[in-house]
Amino acid sequence: MVIAAPATAQIMHAPAEAFDKTVSYITICSAGAALATVFAQAVSVVLSIVIIRRRTLPFTLSRADIRPKATYIQNLLALGIPIALQDLLVNISFLAITAIVNSLGLVASAGVGVAEKLCGFVMLVPSSYMQAMSAFVAQNMGAGKTERAKKALLCGISSSLFAGIVMGYLTFFHGELLAGMFAREQDVIAAAAEYLKAYAIDCLLTSFLFCFIGYFNGTGNTVFVMLQGIIGAFGVRLPVSWFVSRQAGAGLFHIGLATPASSLVQIILCGIYFGFCSRRKSEGKIVE
């Protein structure tokens, strides 16, 4: 990324007025991420292992319970690769949307840049629910308590929805106030607030979607999670944003609606798959 910083800025359609600073920003972030991110992740994993070992009740393993190392690696790969691939492709779709917005000019690019920073903060709540749901459901599935895992899904959605309503209200009706913390130019603040209105709708939808994703990750259905993520990103979000941007009079709010549209389609897919799995389990065709 350090070497390809100029090419990346060009691919992302960085406005001419901000091209040089964009290259500098990409270079600095890429150089820092190479060492700092790896170190931070390594420390995080070690601390997580220590905490888990201290909080887990002591138990003994028989020789029959000890599996070969290759078996654990194979499970890790089967479950982890779909999740990693989904995250990669979804982020690529968001980068493509950023490139579309950048082509609209400097104000639109700056406004969406501010809005995306705020969206990262706004989405912390549903993202945290997704991670917690995944761990909690996996523990209950391992203990054979499938009904408790389903109840966790319903509880997670209801409590996450409450937070989504609060964050959605703030981003829809007070977007100018939030954007004003990161920008001073009124036209940039207005552009960011316009884009945030679309994300306000998504705050409600992700309360459902992220809990569903966490649930399916916890049950081991990571291939489905990958497929629905790809469908949402490349079947809805990216083509809708591109099509809307080509329409006369389309603003950032209209382009931003591609994100909640994608979330809605993904929720429908998750609901259908959840009902399918429940029906198959009741028929005795799925053993969990």
Side-chain angles (χ1 to χ4, degrees):
M1 288 301 299
V2 172
I3 297 174
T8 302
Q10 187 174 6
I11 293 173
M12 295 300 297
H13 295 161
E17 303 92 326
F19 187 85
D20 292 337
K21 291 185 178 180
T22 302
V23 173
S24 299
Y25 188 82
I26 294 174
T27 303
I28 294 171
C29 291
S30 301
L35 296 177
T37 301
V38 173
F39 179 77
Q41 292 293 334
V43 173
S44 176
V45 170
V46 171
L47 291 177
S48 297
I49 293 174
V50 172
I51 292 173
I52 291 173
R53 291 188 62 180
R54 289 184 177 181
R55 292 184 178 180
T56 303
L57 294 176
F59 63 93
T60 57
L61 289 174
S62 65
R63 289 186 176 273
D65 295 325
I66 301 176
R67 300 179 181 179
K69 184 182 296 186
T71 302
Y72 289 110
I73 295 175
Q74 183 179 2
N75 291 337
L76 284 174
L77 292 178
L79 295 176
I81 287 178
I83 298 176
L85 184 60
Q86 185 232 2
D87 287 343
L88 173 64
L89 296 177
V90 167
N91 279 286
I92 289 176
S93 73
F94 276 109
L95 285 176
I97 294 176
T98 302
I100 293 173
V101 173
N102 287 344
S103 64
L104 300 180
L106 182 61
V107 173
S109 175
V112 171
V114 171
E116 289 291 350
K117 296 297 182 184
L118 289 168
C119 291
F121 172 76
V122 169
M123 291 299 167
L124 279 177
V125 174
S127 297
S128 299
Y129 266 89
M130 179 176 63
Q131 300 297 332
M133 184 68 64
S134 178
F136 186 83
V137 169
Q139 290 172 347
N140 281 274
M141 296 299 291
K145 298 181 179 181
T146 57
E147 293 302 319
R148 191 176 184 216
K150 291 181 180 179
K151 290 180 180 179
L153 174 62
L154 298 177
C155 292
I157 290 176
S158 59
S159 56
S160 177
L161 181 60
F162 174 78
I165 292 174
V166 174
M167 300 305 292
Y169 172 82
L170 291 175
T171 53
F172 192 89
F173 294 103
H174 300 285
E176 293 86 355
L177 178 63
L178 297 176
M181 295 186 296
F182 296 93
R184 295 181 180 179
E185 298 81 1
Q186 290 301 317
D187 51 356
V188 174
I189 293 176
E194 181 185 358
Y195 194 71
L196 282 173
K197 289 184 183 296
Y199 262 94
I201 303 173
D202 204 43
C203 287
L204 305 179
L205 297 178
T206 52
S207 302
F208 295 86
L209 178 60
F210 283 23
C211 285
F212 266 123
I213 292 176
Y215 175 84
F216 288 126
N217 281 337
T219 58
N221 293 300
T222 56
V223 174
F224 167 75
V225 172
M226 177 188 68
L227 292 177
Q228 62 84 31
I230 293 174
I231 292 173
F234 295 94
V236 181
R237 188 184 305 117
L238 187 56
V240 169
S241 61
W242 178 85
F243 176 78
V244 172
S245 67
R246 294 294 185 271
Q247 306 306 307
L252 293 180
F253 171 72
H254 304 97
I255 297 175
L257 286 176
T259 298
S262 171
S263 297
L264 180 60
V265 171
Q266 291 174 257
I267 291 172
I268 294 173
L269 293 175
C270 287
I272 293 173
Y273 189 71
F274 180 82
F276 171 77
C277 291
S278 299
R279 186 175 66 253
R280 294 269 294 180
K281 183 176 181 296
S282 63
E283 293 174 356
K285 296 180 180 180
I286 291 181
V287 179
E288 296 179 299

